[in-house]
Amino acid sequence: MSLRSQLLKGILEGCILSIIAKEDVYGYELSLKLQQFGLEDVSEGSIYPILLRLQKGGLIEGEMRDSPAGPKRKYYRLTKHGEEALQEFVREWERIKEPVEHILHRGNEG
Amino acid sequence: MNTKDLIQLNNKKRKQLNEHNEAYYDKMLVYIRSHLTISEQQSEELLIELLDHLLEAQSNGKTAEEVFRDDPKAYCDELIRQLPKEKRMSAAFFIGYLIFQLAGWMALVKGGIETIAEFFTDLDNALYLGSAVTIFLIEAVIILLVVAVFISMIKRSVFATSNKVKDFFIAGLAGVIVFACFVFIPKWIPEFGYRIEAGGVVFLILGLLILAVSKWMDKKFRITT
């Protein structure tokens, strides 16, 4: 797997945890939210392998439930373990965000 | 929702896909279902989820390639890697159930044929229990092997442009081999074990009994639901 997709996957995982932490969502809803936040390059389908991995790791739980539109959908919610993972992701992101920005945007003087 | 409900729901919803998207989705469905070692419940839940997503995307004018990827096989392989394995117990129950079903139907067919044949000729009703059990086990293994080969053929051919002539030839060959085994194996196995007299009616009753037990097992342990 290329470095680019690995990086993207890790970040996407954190974003998905964060969205699910705010409210329970189903797959299509989740992909819309990611797009609304500007992650338009992410192919919609790529959320499903991540959702499966998060479920396997016990970070989120899925449940078939009636949706407002009518049909049953699988809604995801964060588990206790998932909340901890999200907090850790946020901590790590805060720690590397600025240094990375500095390095990338330092111009030509470095 | 159990697996059966999910499959029924999937069959109903799939009809809403347009031709192009249905062709794409059907391949994913067959490919994922042909992986028997992953949890059936989990894969059916995933399949419904992907279908719901595709339906919503379709109503917004998107194609399956835009939603998933241009490479459905790579995408499905990635999904399959993340799906949990089927529990050993339920896999064992399922194979046990298949063998029971097989035994039941084979006894019924044998019983039916012999019951009719007895009207016209005198049949030797001698049956050696040791031989009978051995023959059945060998035949059951052959049938399970053939099924396994067919499923792996499906797995390989879903995303490949399949060679119809070759597939037809292999299927025909498998049929001939299985038929030959069923004819010759009873002749090759020597007579041993306890000798009983069992005519067609005995096999009919035995077959019904075995099928009833397997039906009960299915209900009790929820094997196929």
Side-chain angles (χ1 to χ4, degrees), chain B residues 104-122:
Chain B
W105 285 109
M106 276 164 71
L108 265 190
V109 169
K110 187 177 162 69
I113 291 173
E114 288 186 3
T115 306
I116 295 169
E118 270 160 5
F119 283 111
F120 305 103
T121 63
D122 259 346

Side-chain angles (χ1 to χ4, degrees), chain A residues 28 44-45 48 74 76, chain B residues 45 49 53 60 62 67 75:
Chain A
Y28 188 74
E44 294 175 25
Y48 291 101
K74 195 171 179 183
Y76 293 99
Chain B
E45 279 183 17
E49 222 177 347
H53 192 129
N60 293 320
K62 282 194 176 174
V67 176
Y75 182 62

Side-chain angles (χ1 to χ4, degrees), chain B residues 98-161:
Chain B
L98 278 188
I99 290 175
F100 255 74
Q101 284 273 313
L102 205 61
W105 285 109
M106 276 164 71
L108 265 190
V109 169
K110 187 177 162 69
I113 291 173
E114 288 186 3
T115 306
I116 295 169
E118 270 160 5
F119 283 111
F120 305 103
T121 63
D122 259 346
L123 282 181
D124 176 15
N125 284 334
L127 181 81
Y128 296 88
L129 283 182
S131 318
V133 170
T134 312
I135 292 167
F136 169 70
L137 288 179
I138 294 174
E139 288 177 348
V141 168
I142 290 172
I143 290 180
L144 288 179
L145 274 179
V146 168
V147 170
V149 168
F150 270 102
I151 288 171
S152 81
M153 271 173 71
I154 291 171
K155 220 186 264 183
R156 269 186 294 128
S157 66
V158 175
F159 294 116
T161 41

Side-chain angles (χ1 to χ4, degrees), chain A residues 9 26-28 31 35 43-49 51-53 55-56 64 71-74 76, chain B residues 1 6 13 42 45-46 49-50 52-53 56-57 60 62 67-69 75 78-79 81-83:
Chain A
K9 237 180 208 169
Y26 62 90
Y28 188 74
S31 77
Q35 278 170 21
S43 86
E44 294 175 25
S46 61
I47 61 172
Y48 291 101
L51 286 172
L52 287 174
R53 194 171 52 219
Q55 278 177 91
K56 214 178 184 179
M64 298 289 272
K72 270 197 192 316
R73 302 219 187 271
K74 195 171 179 183
Y76 293 99
Chain B
M1 269 178 136
L6 286 169
K13 280 191 175 175
Q42 297 296 321
E45 279 183 17
L46 175 69
E49 222 177 347
L50 298 178
D52 280 336
H53 192 129
E56 290 209 49
N60 293 320
K62 282 194 176 174
V67 176
F68 307 111
R69 283 183 218 153
Y75 182 62
E78 202 179 339
L79 292 171
R81 252 200 314 281
Q82 299 299 339
L83 278 167

Side-chain angles (χ1 to χ4, degrees), chain B residues 94-225:
Chain B
F94 184 65
I95 290 177
Y97 172 74
L98 278 188
I99 290 175
F100 255 74
Q101 284 273 313
L102 205 61
W105 285 109
M106 276 164 71
L108 265 190
V109 169
K110 187 177 162 69
I113 291 173
E114 288 186 3
T115 306
I116 295 169
E118 270 160 5
F119 283 111
F120 305 103
T121 63
D122 259 346
L123 282 181
D124 176 15
N125 284 334
L127 181 81
Y128 296 88
L129 283 182
S131 318
V133 170
T134 312
I135 292 167
F136 169 70
L137 288 179
I138 294 174
E139 288 177 348
V141 168
I142 290 172
I143 290 180
L144 288 179
L145 274 179
V146 168
V147 170
V149 168
F150 270 102
I151 288 171
S152 81
M153 271 173 71
I154 291 171
K155 220 186 264 183
R156 269 186 294 128
S157 66
V158 175
F159 294 116
T161 41
S162 67
N163 185 336
K164 290 249 158 57
V165 179
K166 195 177 137 205
D167 286 353
F168 185 76
F169 183 73
I170 292 177
L173 192 70
V176 170
I177 292 173
V178 170
F179 186 74
C181 287
F182 276 61
V183 171
F184 289 111
I185 286 173
K187 294 192 202 292
W188 286 338
I189 302 294
E191 291 170 345
F192 70 98
Y194 194 69
R195 183 178 190 276
I196 53 167
E197 294 284 328
V201 182
V202 175
F203 278 101
L204 277 179
I205 293 169
L206 185 70
L208 287 175
L209 209 68
I210 295 174
L211 287 179
V213 170
S214 77
K215 181 103 192 153
W216 173 80
M217 267 172 52
D218 187 19
K219 272 229 174 84
K220 171 111 181 152
F221 301 108
R222 306 179 62 91
I223 296 169
T224 59
T225 55

